[in-house]
Every structure is written in C-alpha cells, then in structure tokens.
Amino acid sequence: MFVTTIEKTNNVLNQKALRTAEQLGIPYIERNKRTIKQLQSYYNQPCLVVGKIKTELYDLHGIDPLFFHPNMAAVRMKRIEKGEVDPFVRAAGLNQGMSILDCTLGMGADALIASYIIGSSGKITALELNPFVYFVIKEGLQNYPFKNEKFGEAAGRIEAVNIDYLTFLKKAEDRSYDVVYFDPMFTERVIESAGIQSLSSFASYKELTDEAVVEAKRVAKKRIILKDHFRSDRFSRFGFSVEKRKTAKFHFGVIELE
Ligand SMILES: C[S@@+](CC[C@H](N)C(=O)[O-])C[C@H]1O[C@@H](n2cnc3c(N)ncnc32)[C@H](O)[C@@H]1O
C-alpha cells in the first residue's frame, strides 16, 4: 500500500498525502503526472489517492475505488422522512437518544442512518477492522461537504474506531449500548453501490463467532441485530429471529434481550 495524490495536485495536497502516509506508516509516492494504472503496475500495490475533499482507496484492479459518499444513506433518509419504513431502523428499534454499537462500519451508511435517527442525545460507536477502509470512511464522515446540515452533524457524531469488534466487545462494560449491530461481509454480497468492489478487496471476512455473540449479549441492553444474505445460515446458527422480506436479498435478524 502507498499514498499518492490526485493528478492535479498542489503543495497543500502533497503535504496532506505525506501526513496520511506517516499516519498510516506506509510510503508516499509523488504522482508526477502518472496515471493510477501506471503507478500500480510499477509498484504492484493497492493505493490511497488523496484529493481535496476525499481520499480514494484503489485495489489492484484500479477501477472502482472506495471512498465515502452519503448517497445511499441520503436516499434512505429521504424515504424515512416521507414516512417509509427503513428495515434496519425498524429491526434495531432505533429512536432518539439511543446508544448503538455498529460493529461493522464498512462504507458507513448504516452508521449514518443510525446517528441521524438517534440524534444528538444518542451515542454511536462504529468499529472497522481494516485500517484503510477505516481511514477513508472516517475522514469522509468528518470532512464530506454535506448539503444537509443535520446529516453532516449526524456524521460528525459517529465515533469511529479501528479495532476488531471482538476485542472491543470484550473490553466494553455490561449493558453499555442499547443495540449491538453486525453486518458482516457475505460472499454473495448484493451490489449496492459504487466502491463495493474495492470494499470486498479490503474488508475483513472474519466469521461471526459464538464468542462474539455471547459478548454482544452482555454488552447490549435491548437488542442484537444481524444483517445477512437471505441464504445465510448464521441466523439460525446464532439464534436470531428473522423477519423475512419477500423480495429482499438480505434480511435482518434480531435477538431481543428485554
Ligand atoms: C458489509 S460491510 C458493512 C457495511 C455497513 N453496514 C454500511 O452500511 O456500509 C462489513 C465491514 O465490517 C468490517 N469487519 C468485518 N469483520 C470485522 C471485525 N471483526 N471487526 C471490525 N470490523 C469488521 C469489514 O472490514 C467491512 O468493512
């Protein structure tokens, strides 16, 4: 992995890329008008590309970078505001003032929706194991120029942590979050948005374990939620009740604790 800049770079961006490289402990390589393809075929490594408002994460295919964009969450938010039911919000029973532990930040869409719904009196912590996915999405949540002010504030309230959820859960106090949420990678992942190809290249495919579910039951006050592919056996394996949605490719499973 290395860090470079967008092609039309300047001193400020070069410095930003250098700081990013230092922070992540990886090399900074000057762009020097080379294409990402040229850089990648020379160095044969994935890379981070620092731009003015976003940092992009390219895998070795170099075509569909992962970066933060609130589009998916914004579409869902508009539907919620029109009174439509969001399956995640319903499954998690989200309301103002609640506390959520999102164990799988990914592109940050669910965390953003949750943060918006629980509002400034709520608390959201979102965990991501891959340091590069974490970096790009955390930076996006903090710096994206949101048109909708409330959305920007909701993004800013997400406390993102680069950690394995099992490590975090083991250290967390009993009943310290209302809801604990898992959205693990599934091999049959439905194409939901741009960047998903890159997410699949970098994301952790660590399996959900009994140990993690036991810890989640200790840490959650109200519910544990699992999002998974409709064909997944994880729901039955870990004791989640599933509300099947007829045409949906994924379902939400719930373990009710109260
Ligand atoms: C399917 S994505 C989550 C998508 C997310 N819900 C969203 O709305 O964008 C799963 C993410 O969880 C991360 N992940 C997988 N196992 C993890 C673990 N043990 N600890 C922390 N993060 C993990 C993956 O790296 C990946 O980025």
PDB file of all heavy atoms in Angstrom, residues 76 102-111 127-130 133 163-166 181 183-186 189 192 196 199 202-207 227, ligand 1:
ATOM      1  N   ARG A  76     -32.053   6.718   1.563  1.00  0.00           N
ATOM      2  CA  ARG A  76     -32.823   6.057   2.632  1.00  0.00           C
ATOM      3  C   ARG A  76     -33.428   7.095   3.574  1.00  0.00           C
ATOM      4  O   ARG A  76     -34.574   6.973   4.009  1.00  0.00           O
ATOM      5  CB  ARG A  76     -31.911   5.098   3.404  1.00  0.00           C
ATOM      6  CG  ARG A  76     -31.656   3.803   2.658  1.00  0.00           C
ATOM      7  CD  ARG A  76     -30.518   3.025   3.272  1.00  0.00           C
ATOM      8  NE  ARG A  76     -30.785   2.593   4.630  1.00  0.00           N
ATOM      9  CZ  ARG A  76     -29.860   2.013   5.415  1.00  0.00           C
ATOM     10  NH1 ARG A  76     -28.639   1.805   4.959  1.00  0.00           N
ATOM     11  NH2 ARG A  76     -30.159   1.632   6.631  1.00  0.00           N
ATOM     12  N   ASP A 102     -22.148  -0.101  16.329  1.00  0.00           N
ATOM     13  CA  ASP A 102     -22.117  -0.687  14.990  1.00  0.00           C
ATOM     14  C   ASP A 102     -20.766  -1.394  14.870  1.00  0.00           C
ATOM     15  O   ASP A 102     -19.728  -0.740  14.768  1.00  0.00           O
ATOM     16  CB  ASP A 102     -22.272   0.428  13.940  1.00  0.00           C
ATOM     17  CG  ASP A 102     -22.168  -0.094  12.514  1.00  0.00           C
ATOM     18  OD1 ASP A 102     -21.896  -1.299  12.332  1.00  0.00           O
ATOM     19  OD2 ASP A 102     -22.345   0.706  11.572  1.00  0.00           O
ATOM     20  N   CYS A 103     -20.798  -2.721  14.887  1.00  0.00           N
ATOM     21  CA  CYS A 103     -19.540  -3.485  14.908  1.00  0.00           C
ATOM     22  C   CYS A 103     -18.853  -3.519  13.546  1.00  0.00           C
ATOM     23  O   CYS A 103     -17.699  -3.929  13.455  1.00  0.00           O
ATOM     24  CB  CYS A 103     -19.818  -4.920  15.367  1.00  0.00           C
ATOM     25  SG  CYS A 103     -20.177  -4.991  17.125  1.00  0.00           S
ATOM     26  N   THR A 104     -19.562  -3.139  12.491  1.00  0.00           N
ATOM     27  CA  THR A 104     -19.026  -3.279  11.137  1.00  0.00           C
ATOM     28  C   THR A 104     -19.307  -2.006  10.323  1.00  0.00           C
ATOM     29  O   THR A 104     -20.258  -1.948   9.539  1.00  0.00           O
ATOM     30  CB  THR A 104     -19.680  -4.510  10.457  1.00  0.00           C
ATOM     31  OG1 THR A 104     -21.102  -4.459  10.699  1.00  0.00           O
ATOM     32  CG2 THR A 104     -19.141  -5.821  11.000  1.00  0.00           C
ATOM     33  N   LEU A 105     -18.431  -1.013  10.471  1.00  0.00           N
ATOM     34  CA  LEU A 105     -18.655   0.306   9.847  1.00  0.00           C
ATOM     35  C   LEU A 105     -18.760   0.243   8.322  1.00  0.00           C
ATOM     36  O   LEU A 105     -19.658   0.844   7.732  1.00  0.00           O
ATOM     37  CB  LEU A 105     -17.501   1.242  10.256  1.00  0.00           C
ATOM     38  CG  LEU A 105     -17.446   2.601   9.562  1.00  0.00           C
ATOM     39  CD1 LEU A 105     -18.596   3.489   9.996  1.00  0.00           C
ATOM     40  CD2 LEU A 105     -16.109   3.297   9.839  1.00  0.00           C
ATOM     41  N   GLY A 106     -17.828  -0.464   7.654  1.00  0.00           N
ATOM     42  CA  GLY A 106     -17.841  -0.545   6.191  1.00  0.00           C
ATOM     43  C   GLY A 106     -17.867   0.831   5.572  1.00  0.00           C
ATOM     44  O   GLY A 106     -17.056   1.695   5.894  1.00  0.00           O
ATOM     45  N   MET A 107     -18.859   1.079   4.672  1.00  0.00           N
ATOM     46  CA  MET A 107     -18.964   2.377   3.985  1.00  0.00           C
ATOM     47  C   MET A 107     -19.672   3.429   4.850  1.00  0.00           C
ATOM     48  O   MET A 107     -19.868   4.557   4.407  1.00  0.00           O
ATOM     49  CB  MET A 107     -19.768   2.205   2.693  1.00  0.00           C
ATOM     50  CG  MET A 107     -19.398   1.003   1.879  1.00  0.00           C
ATOM     51  SD  MET A 107     -18.228   1.350   0.593  1.00  0.00           S
ATOM     52  CE  MET A 107     -19.238   2.202  -0.579  1.00  0.00           C
ATOM     53  N   GLY A 108     -20.145   3.027   5.996  1.00  0.00           N
ATOM     54  CA  GLY A 108     -20.704   3.990   6.948  1.00  0.00           C
ATOM     55  C   GLY A 108     -22.170   4.351   6.743  1.00  0.00           C
ATOM     56  O   GLY A 108     -22.688   5.228   7.443  1.00  0.00           O
ATOM     57  N   ALA A 109     -22.852   3.677   5.813  1.00  0.00           N
ATOM     58  CA  ALA A 109     -24.242   4.060   5.518  1.00  0.00           C
ATOM     59  C   ALA A 109     -25.180   3.783   6.699  1.00  0.00           C
ATOM     60  O   ALA A 109     -25.951   4.664   7.115  1.00  0.00           O
ATOM     61  CB  ALA A 109     -24.737   3.339   4.270  1.00  0.00           C
ATOM     62  N   ASP A 110     -25.096   2.581   7.260  1.00  0.00           N
ATOM     63  CA  ASP A 110     -25.990   2.257   8.376  1.00  0.00           C
ATOM     64  C   ASP A 110     -25.668   3.113   9.598  1.00  0.00           C
ATOM     65  O   ASP A 110     -26.568   3.563  10.311  1.00  0.00           O
ATOM     66  CB  ASP A 110     -25.893   0.765   8.736  1.00  0.00           C
ATOM     67  CG  ASP A 110     -26.481  -0.127   7.649  1.00  0.00           C
ATOM     68  OD1 ASP A 110     -27.470   0.286   7.013  1.00  0.00           O
ATOM     69  OD2 ASP A 110     -25.938  -1.223   7.431  1.00  0.00           O
ATOM     70  N   ALA A 111     -24.372   3.350   9.827  1.00  0.00           N
ATOM     71  CA  ALA A 111     -23.971   4.178  10.978  1.00  0.00           C
ATOM     72  C   ALA A 111     -24.545   5.591  10.827  1.00  0.00           C
ATOM     73  O   ALA A 111     -25.013   6.187  11.798  1.00  0.00           O
ATOM     74  CB  ALA A 111     -22.448   4.229  11.081  1.00  0.00           C
ATOM     75  N   LEU A 127     -17.185   0.410  14.535  1.00  0.00           N
ATOM     76  CA  LEU A 127     -15.884  -0.254  14.520  1.00  0.00           C
ATOM     77  C   LEU A 127     -15.546  -0.793  13.131  1.00  0.00           C
ATOM     78  O   LEU A 127     -16.419  -1.311  12.435  1.00  0.00           O
ATOM     79  CB  LEU A 127     -15.904  -1.433  15.509  1.00  0.00           C
ATOM     80  CG  LEU A 127     -16.578  -1.163  16.864  1.00  0.00           C
ATOM     81  CD1 LEU A 127     -16.600  -2.443  17.703  1.00  0.00           C
ATOM     82  CD2 LEU A 127     -15.875  -0.034  17.602  1.00  0.00           C
ATOM     83  N   GLU A 128     -14.281  -0.647  12.755  1.00  0.00           N
ATOM     84  CA  GLU A 128     -13.829  -1.181  11.466  1.00  0.00           C
ATOM     85  C   GLU A 128     -12.442  -1.769  11.631  1.00  0.00           C
ATOM     86  O   GLU A 128     -11.540  -1.118  12.149  1.00  0.00           O
ATOM     87  CB  GLU A 128     -13.828  -0.066  10.408  1.00  0.00           C
ATOM     88  CG  GLU A 128     -13.231  -0.449   9.065  1.00  0.00           C
ATOM     89  CD  GLU A 128     -13.850  -1.697   8.428  1.00  0.00           C
ATOM     90  OE1 GLU A 128     -15.084  -1.735   8.274  1.00  0.00           O
ATOM     91  OE2 GLU A 128     -13.093  -2.628   8.081  1.00  0.00           O
ATOM     92  N   LEU A 129     -12.288  -2.996  11.166  1.00  0.00           N
ATOM     93  CA  LEU A 129     -11.025  -3.695  11.357  1.00  0.00           C
ATOM     94  C   LEU A 129      -9.966  -3.272  10.342  1.00  0.00           C
ATOM     95  O   LEU A 129      -8.785  -3.144  10.682  1.00  0.00           O
ATOM     96  CB  LEU A 129     -11.276  -5.215  11.266  1.00  0.00           C
ATOM     97  CG  LEU A 129     -10.107  -6.139  11.542  1.00  0.00           C
ATOM     98  CD1 LEU A 129      -9.436  -5.812  12.857  1.00  0.00           C
ATOM     99  CD2 LEU A 129     -10.574  -7.586  11.555  1.00  0.00           C
ATOM    100  N   ASN A 130     -10.361  -3.048   9.094  1.00  0.00           N
ATOM    101  CA  ASN A 130      -9.336  -2.712   8.091  1.00  0.00           C
ATOM    102  C   ASN A 130      -8.888  -1.250   8.244  1.00  0.00           C
ATOM    103  O   ASN A 130      -9.713  -0.340   8.180  1.00  0.00           O
ATOM    104  CB  ASN A 130      -9.874  -2.951   6.679  1.00  0.00           C
ATOM    105  CG  ASN A 130      -8.804  -2.658   5.638  1.00  0.00           C
ATOM    106  OD1 ASN A 130      -8.575  -1.512   5.273  1.00  0.00           O
ATOM    107  ND2 ASN A 130      -8.114  -3.687   5.197  1.00  0.00           N
ATOM    108  N   VAL A 133      -9.841   1.071   5.072  1.00  0.00           N
ATOM    109  CA  VAL A 133     -11.287   1.337   4.972  1.00  0.00           C
ATOM    110  C   VAL A 133     -11.664   2.317   6.089  1.00  0.00           C
ATOM    111  O   VAL A 133     -12.351   3.322   5.870  1.00  0.00           O
ATOM    112  CB  VAL A 133     -12.108   0.028   5.111  1.00  0.00           C
ATOM    113  CG1 VAL A 133     -13.609   0.323   5.168  1.00  0.00           C
ATOM    114  CG2 VAL A 133     -11.791  -0.933   3.973  1.00  0.00           C
ATOM    115  N   ILE A 163     -10.637  -1.158  15.068  1.00  0.00           N
ATOM    116  CA  ILE A 163     -10.430  -2.269  16.012  1.00  0.00           C
ATOM    117  C   ILE A 163     -11.273  -3.472  15.583  1.00  0.00           C
ATOM    118  O   ILE A 163     -12.296  -3.310  14.902  1.00  0.00           O
ATOM    119  CB  ILE A 163     -10.821  -1.809  17.453  1.00  0.00           C
ATOM    120  CG1 ILE A 163     -10.337  -2.779  18.524  1.00  0.00           C
ATOM    121  CG2 ILE A 163     -12.320  -1.573  17.575  1.00  0.00           C
ATOM    122  CD1 ILE A 163     -10.472  -2.240  19.946  1.00  0.00           C
ATOM    123  N   ASP A 164     -10.856  -4.650  16.008  1.00  0.00           N
ATOM    124  CA  ASP A 164     -11.652  -5.858  15.803  1.00  0.00           C
ATOM    125  C   ASP A 164     -12.837  -5.796  16.780  1.00  0.00           C
ATOM    126  O   ASP A 164     -12.628  -5.513  17.969  1.00  0.00           O
ATOM    127  CB  ASP A 164     -10.769  -7.075  16.118  1.00  0.00           C
ATOM    128  CG  ASP A 164     -11.446  -8.391  15.788  1.00  0.00           C
ATOM    129  OD1 ASP A 164     -12.683  -8.487  15.917  1.00  0.00           O
ATOM    130  OD2 ASP A 164     -10.739  -9.338  15.418  1.00  0.00           O
ATOM    131  N   TYR A 165     -14.032  -6.074  16.304  1.00  0.00           N
ATOM    132  CA  TYR A 165     -15.178  -5.920  17.221  1.00  0.00           C
ATOM    133  C   TYR A 165     -15.101  -6.842  18.429  1.00  0.00           C
ATOM    134  O   TYR A 165     -15.592  -6.502  19.496  1.00  0.00           O
ATOM    135  CB  TYR A 165     -16.534  -5.995  16.508  1.00  0.00           C
ATOM    136  CG  TYR A 165     -16.878  -7.260  15.746  1.00  0.00           C
ATOM    137  CD1 TYR A 165     -17.044  -8.479  16.381  1.00  0.00           C
ATOM    138  CD2 TYR A 165     -17.119  -7.201  14.380  1.00  0.00           C
ATOM    139  CE1 TYR A 165     -17.396  -9.619  15.673  1.00  0.00           C
ATOM    140  CE2 TYR A 165     -17.469  -8.331  13.656  1.00  0.00           C
ATOM    141  CZ  TYR A 165     -17.605  -9.538  14.306  1.00  0.00           C
ATOM    142  OH  TYR A 165     -17.952 -10.655  13.612  1.00  0.00           O
ATOM    143  N   LEU A 166     -14.470  -8.013  18.266  1.00  0.00           N
ATOM    144  CA  LEU A 166     -14.394  -8.920  19.410  1.00  0.00           C
ATOM    145  C   LEU A 166     -13.532  -8.297  20.522  1.00  0.00           C
ATOM    146  O   LEU A 166     -13.896  -8.353  21.700  1.00  0.00           O
ATOM    147  CB  LEU A 166     -13.836 -10.289  18.982  1.00  0.00           C
ATOM    148  CG  LEU A 166     -13.794 -11.337  20.099  1.00  0.00           C
ATOM    149  CD1 LEU A 166     -15.179 -11.580  20.707  1.00  0.00           C
ATOM    150  CD2 LEU A 166     -13.208 -12.656  19.595  1.00  0.00           C
ATOM    151  N   TYR A 181     -24.906  -4.044  16.647  1.00  0.00           N
ATOM    152  CA  TYR A 181     -25.259  -4.371  15.262  1.00  0.00           C
ATOM    153  C   TYR A 181     -24.085  -5.017  14.528  1.00  0.00           C
ATOM    154  O   TYR A 181     -22.966  -4.504  14.582  1.00  0.00           O
ATOM    155  CB  TYR A 181     -25.664  -3.072  14.560  1.00  0.00           C
ATOM    156  CG  TYR A 181     -25.934  -3.184  13.078  1.00  0.00           C
ATOM    157  CD1 TYR A 181     -26.809  -4.138  12.563  1.00  0.00           C
ATOM    158  CD2 TYR A 181     -25.329  -2.311  12.170  1.00  0.00           C
ATOM    159  CE1 TYR A 181     -27.061  -4.226  11.194  1.00  0.00           C
ATOM    160  CE2 TYR A 181     -25.583  -2.380  10.810  1.00  0.00           C
ATOM    161  CZ  TYR A 181     -26.446  -3.346  10.327  1.00  0.00           C
ATOM    162  OH  TYR A 181     -26.695  -3.429   8.983  1.00  0.00           O
ATOM    163  N   ASP A 183     -22.996  -6.373  10.631  1.00  0.00           N
ATOM    164  CA  ASP A 183     -23.298  -6.503   9.198  1.00  0.00           C
ATOM    165  C   ASP A 183     -22.051  -7.079   8.531  1.00  0.00           C
ATOM    166  O   ASP A 183     -21.276  -6.363   7.890  1.00  0.00           O
ATOM    167  CB  ASP A 183     -23.655  -5.118   8.604  1.00  0.00           C
ATOM    168  CG  ASP A 183     -23.892  -5.158   7.106  1.00  0.00           C
ATOM    169  OD1 ASP A 183     -24.006  -6.254   6.537  1.00  0.00           O
ATOM    170  OD2 ASP A 183     -23.974  -4.062   6.505  1.00  0.00           O
ATOM    171  N   PRO A 184     -21.811  -8.391   8.719  1.00  0.00           N
ATOM    172  CA  PRO A 184     -20.569  -8.969   8.185  1.00  0.00           C
ATOM    173  C   PRO A 184     -20.598  -9.040   6.659  1.00  0.00           C
ATOM    174  O   PRO A 184     -21.672  -8.945   6.049  1.00  0.00           O
ATOM    175  CB  PRO A 184     -20.551 -10.367   8.806  1.00  0.00           C
ATOM    176  CG  PRO A 184     -21.958 -10.675   9.151  1.00  0.00           C
ATOM    177  CD  PRO A 184     -22.670  -9.383   9.374  1.00  0.00           C
ATOM    178  N   MET A 185     -19.425  -9.211   6.074  1.00  0.00           N
ATOM    179  CA  MET A 185     -19.360  -9.381   4.621  1.00  0.00           C
ATOM    180  C   MET A 185     -20.052 -10.699   4.293  1.00  0.00           C
ATOM    181  O   MET A 185     -19.899 -11.670   5.020  1.00  0.00           O
ATOM    182  CB  MET A 185     -17.906  -9.480   4.156  1.00  0.00           C
ATOM    183  CG  MET A 185     -17.095  -8.229   4.376  1.00  0.00           C
ATOM    184  SD  MET A 185     -17.740  -6.758   3.537  1.00  0.00           S
ATOM    185  CE  MET A 185     -17.381  -7.123   1.829  1.00  0.00           C
ATOM    186  N   PHE A 186     -20.811 -10.735   3.220  1.00  0.00           N
ATOM    187  CA  PHE A 186     -21.232 -12.048   2.777  1.00  0.00           C
ATOM    188  C   PHE A 186     -20.694 -12.269   1.385  1.00  0.00           C
ATOM    189  O   PHE A 186     -20.564 -11.343   0.601  1.00  0.00           O
ATOM    190  CB  PHE A 186     -22.730 -12.328   2.866  1.00  0.00           C
ATOM    191  CG  PHE A 186     -23.677 -11.173   2.766  1.00  0.00           C
ATOM    192  CD1 PHE A 186     -24.213 -10.814   1.546  1.00  0.00           C
ATOM    193  CD2 PHE A 186     -24.083 -10.483   3.899  1.00  0.00           C
ATOM    194  CE1 PHE A 186     -25.134  -9.785   1.457  1.00  0.00           C
ATOM    195  CE2 PHE A 186     -24.991  -9.449   3.815  1.00  0.00           C
ATOM    196  CZ  PHE A 186     -25.514  -9.095   2.596  1.00  0.00           C
ATOM    197  N   ARG A 189     -22.528 -11.027  -1.647  1.00  0.00           N
ATOM    198  CA  ARG A 189     -22.953  -9.643  -1.397  1.00  0.00           C
ATOM    199  C   ARG A 189     -23.624  -9.040  -2.628  1.00  0.00           C
ATOM    200  O   ARG A 189     -23.149  -9.169  -3.749  1.00  0.00           O
ATOM    201  CB  ARG A 189     -21.740  -8.792  -1.002  1.00  0.00           C
ATOM    202  CG  ARG A 189     -22.114  -7.356  -0.722  1.00  0.00           C
ATOM    203  CD  ARG A 189     -21.266  -6.757   0.365  1.00  0.00           C
ATOM    204  NE  ARG A 189     -21.786  -7.070   1.689  1.00  0.00           N
ATOM    205  CZ  ARG A 189     -22.714  -6.333   2.305  1.00  0.00           C
ATOM    206  NH1 ARG A 189     -23.237  -5.287   1.722  1.00  0.00           N
ATOM    207  NH2 ARG A 189     -23.133  -6.662   3.497  1.00  0.00           N
ATOM    208  N   GLU A 192     -24.559  -2.992  -4.070  1.00  0.00           N
ATOM    209  CA  GLU A 192     -25.414  -1.937  -3.524  1.00  0.00           C
ATOM    210  C   GLU A 192     -24.992  -0.560  -3.986  1.00  0.00           C
ATOM    211  O   GLU A 192     -25.776   0.342  -4.096  1.00  0.00           O
ATOM    212  CB  GLU A 192     -25.359  -1.965  -1.997  1.00  0.00           C
ATOM    213  CG  GLU A 192     -26.186  -3.071  -1.390  1.00  0.00           C
ATOM    214  CD  GLU A 192     -25.872  -3.271   0.077  1.00  0.00           C
ATOM    215  OE1 GLU A 192     -24.740  -2.976   0.495  1.00  0.00           O
ATOM    216  OE2 GLU A 192     -26.784  -3.713   0.791  1.00  0.00           O
ATOM    217  N   ILE A 196     -18.103  -0.893  -3.964  1.00  0.00           N
ATOM    218  CA  ILE A 196     -18.309  -2.153  -3.254  1.00  0.00           C
ATOM    219  C   ILE A 196     -17.252  -3.173  -3.688  1.00  0.00           C
ATOM    220  O   ILE A 196     -16.833  -4.000  -2.912  1.00  0.00           O
ATOM    221  CB  ILE A 196     -19.758  -2.678  -3.429  1.00  0.00           C
ATOM    222  CG1 ILE A 196     -20.143  -3.573  -2.278  1.00  0.00           C
ATOM    223  CG2 ILE A 196     -19.991  -3.356  -4.756  1.00  0.00           C
ATOM    224  CD1 ILE A 196     -20.564  -2.850  -1.045  1.00  0.00           C
ATOM    225  N   LEU A 199     -14.418  -2.388  -1.612  1.00  0.00           N
ATOM    226  CA  LEU A 199     -14.686  -2.797  -0.228  1.00  0.00           C
ATOM    227  C   LEU A 199     -14.445  -4.292  -0.101  1.00  0.00           C
ATOM    228  O   LEU A 199     -13.815  -4.744   0.841  1.00  0.00           O
ATOM    229  CB  LEU A 199     -16.114  -2.433   0.204  1.00  0.00           C
ATOM    230  CG  LEU A 199     -16.461  -2.838   1.643  1.00  0.00           C
ATOM    231  CD1 LEU A 199     -15.618  -2.068   2.660  1.00  0.00           C
ATOM    232  CD2 LEU A 199     -17.930  -2.644   1.957  1.00  0.00           C
ATOM    233  N   PHE A 202     -10.788  -5.148   0.370  1.00  0.00           N
ATOM    234  CA  PHE A 202     -10.092  -4.760   1.601  1.00  0.00           C
ATOM    235  C   PHE A 202     -10.761  -5.255   2.880  1.00  0.00           C
ATOM    236  O   PHE A 202     -10.112  -5.370   3.906  1.00  0.00           O
ATOM    237  CB  PHE A 202      -9.957  -3.231   1.677  1.00  0.00           C
ATOM    238  CG  PHE A 202      -9.040  -2.688   0.630  1.00  0.00           C
ATOM    239  CD1 PHE A 202      -9.534  -2.149  -0.540  1.00  0.00           C
ATOM    240  CD2 PHE A 202      -7.676  -2.753   0.809  1.00  0.00           C
ATOM    241  CE1 PHE A 202      -8.684  -1.674  -1.520  1.00  0.00           C
ATOM    242  CE2 PHE A 202      -6.807  -2.279  -0.161  1.00  0.00           C
ATOM    243  CZ  PHE A 202      -7.313  -1.735  -1.325  1.00  0.00           C
ATOM    244  N   ALA A 203     -12.058  -5.495   2.809  1.00  0.00           N
ATOM    245  CA  ALA A 203     -12.820  -5.795   4.021  1.00  0.00           C
ATOM    246  C   ALA A 203     -12.351  -7.084   4.684  1.00  0.00           C
ATOM    247  O   ALA A 203     -11.816  -7.975   4.021  1.00  0.00           O
ATOM    248  CB  ALA A 203     -14.290  -5.929   3.673  1.00  0.00           C
ATOM    249  N   SER A 204     -12.595  -7.156   5.973  1.00  0.00           N
ATOM    250  CA  SER A 204     -12.299  -8.384   6.686  1.00  0.00           C
ATOM    251  C   SER A 204     -13.479  -9.343   6.526  1.00  0.00           C
ATOM    252  O   SER A 204     -14.636  -8.947   6.648  1.00  0.00           O
ATOM    253  CB  SER A 204     -12.088  -8.057   8.164  1.00  0.00           C
ATOM    254  OG  SER A 204     -12.169  -9.246   8.904  1.00  0.00           O
ATOM    255  N   TYR A 205     -13.154 -10.613   6.258  1.00  0.00           N
ATOM    256  CA  TYR A 205     -14.194 -11.643   6.129  1.00  0.00           C
ATOM    257  C   TYR A 205     -14.208 -12.544   7.364  1.00  0.00           C
ATOM    258  O   TYR A 205     -14.682 -13.674   7.308  1.00  0.00           O
ATOM    259  CB  TYR A 205     -13.961 -12.476   4.856  1.00  0.00           C
ATOM    260  CG  TYR A 205     -14.378 -11.754   3.601  1.00  0.00           C
ATOM    261  CD1 TYR A 205     -13.578 -10.761   3.055  1.00  0.00           C
ATOM    262  CD2 TYR A 205     -15.596 -12.025   2.977  1.00  0.00           C
ATOM    263  CE1 TYR A 205     -13.959 -10.075   1.919  1.00  0.00           C
ATOM    264  CE2 TYR A 205     -15.987 -11.345   1.835  1.00  0.00           C
ATOM    265  CZ  TYR A 205     -15.172 -10.377   1.310  1.00  0.00           C
ATOM    266  OH  TYR A 205     -15.567  -9.695   0.193  1.00  0.00           O
ATOM    267  N   LYS A 206     -13.689 -12.004   8.483  1.00  0.00           N
ATOM    268  CA  LYS A 206     -13.675 -12.798   9.719  1.00  0.00           C
ATOM    269  C   LYS A 206     -15.083 -13.270  10.031  1.00  0.00           C
ATOM    270  O   LYS A 206     -16.027 -12.482   9.960  1.00  0.00           O
ATOM    271  CB  LYS A 206     -13.195 -11.920  10.877  1.00  0.00           C
ATOM    272  CG  LYS A 206     -11.723 -12.034  11.166  1.00  0.00           C
ATOM    273  CD  LYS A 206     -11.422 -11.370  12.489  1.00  0.00           C
ATOM    274  CE  LYS A 206     -10.067 -11.755  12.989  1.00  0.00           C
ATOM    275  NZ  LYS A 206      -9.752 -11.120  14.259  1.00  0.00           N
ATOM    276  N   GLU A 207     -15.191 -14.516  10.422  1.00  0.00           N
ATOM    277  CA  GLU A 207     -16.525 -15.080  10.694  1.00  0.00           C
ATOM    278  C   GLU A 207     -17.077 -14.593  12.042  1.00  0.00           C
ATOM    279  O   GLU A 207     -16.324 -14.421  13.000  1.00  0.00           O
ATOM    280  CB  GLU A 207     -16.437 -16.606  10.716  1.00  0.00           C
ATOM    281  CG  GLU A 207     -17.066 -17.309   9.544  1.00  0.00           C
ATOM    282  CD  GLU A 207     -18.477 -16.835   9.189  1.00  0.00           C
ATOM    283  OE1 GLU A 207     -19.279 -16.528  10.086  1.00  0.00           O
ATOM    284  OE2 GLU A 207     -18.773 -16.780   7.979  1.00  0.00           O
ATOM    285  N   LYS A 227     -27.403  -8.323  10.049  1.00  0.00           N
ATOM    286  CA  LYS A 227     -27.846  -8.216   8.648  1.00  0.00           C
ATOM    287  C   LYS A 227     -27.100  -9.289   7.874  1.00  0.00           C
ATOM    288  O   LYS A 227     -25.880  -9.424   8.025  1.00  0.00           O
ATOM    289  CB  LYS A 227     -27.483  -6.836   8.100  1.00  0.00           C
ATOM    290  CG  LYS A 227     -27.828  -6.649   6.623  1.00  0.00           C
ATOM    291  CD  LYS A 227     -27.420  -5.257   6.187  1.00  0.00           C
ATOM    292  CE  LYS A 227     -27.556  -5.077   4.700  1.00  0.00           C
ATOM    293  NZ  LYS A 227     -27.065  -3.764   4.258  1.00  0.00           N
TER     294      LYS A 227
HETATM  295  C1  LIG B   1     -20.691  -5.369   4.852  1.00  0.00           C
HETATM  296  S1  LIG B   1     -19.590  -4.205   5.476  1.00  0.00           S
HETATM  297  C2  LIG B   1     -20.590  -3.184   6.489  1.00  0.00           C
HETATM  298  C3  LIG B   1     -21.415  -2.218   5.692  1.00  0.00           C
HETATM  299  C4  LIG B   1     -22.013  -1.144   6.558  1.00  0.00           C
HETATM  300  N1  LIG B   1     -23.080  -1.667   7.392  1.00  0.00           N
HETATM  301  C5  LIG B   1     -22.511   0.017   5.717  1.00  0.00           C
HETATM  302  O1  LIG B   1     -23.641   0.472   5.926  1.00  0.00           O
HETATM  303  O2  LIG B   1     -21.746   0.483   4.854  1.00  0.00           O
HETATM  304  C6  LIG B   1     -18.675  -5.089   6.672  1.00  0.00           C
HETATM  305  C7  LIG B   1     -17.499  -4.307   7.244  1.00  0.00           C
HETATM  306  O3  LIG B   1     -17.151  -4.858   8.509  1.00  0.00           O
HETATM  307  C8  LIG B   1     -15.764  -4.966   8.610  1.00  0.00           C
HETATM  308  N2  LIG B   1     -15.450  -6.061   9.550  1.00  0.00           N
HETATM  309  C9  LIG B   1     -15.540  -7.396   9.326  1.00  0.00           C
HETATM  310  N3  LIG B   1     -15.158  -8.101  10.406  1.00  0.00           N
HETATM  311  C10 LIG B   1     -14.832  -7.193  11.356  1.00  0.00           C
HETATM  312  C11 LIG B   1     -14.368  -7.303  12.698  1.00  0.00           C
HETATM  313  N4  LIG B   1     -14.136  -8.492  13.265  1.00  0.00           N
HETATM  314  N5  LIG B   1     -14.175  -6.160  13.406  1.00  0.00           N
HETATM  315  C12 LIG B   1     -14.398  -4.945  12.840  1.00  0.00           C
HETATM  316  N6  LIG B   1     -14.812  -4.791  11.553  1.00  0.00           N
HETATM  317  C13 LIG B   1     -15.034  -5.888  10.822  1.00  0.00           C
HETATM  318  C14 LIG B   1     -15.308  -5.253   7.194  1.00  0.00           C
HETATM  319  O4  LIG B   1     -13.935  -4.931   7.018  1.00  0.00           O
HETATM  320  C15 LIG B   1     -16.260  -4.390   6.376  1.00  0.00           C
HETATM  321  O5  LIG B   1     -15.736  -3.122   6.139  1.00  0.00           O
END
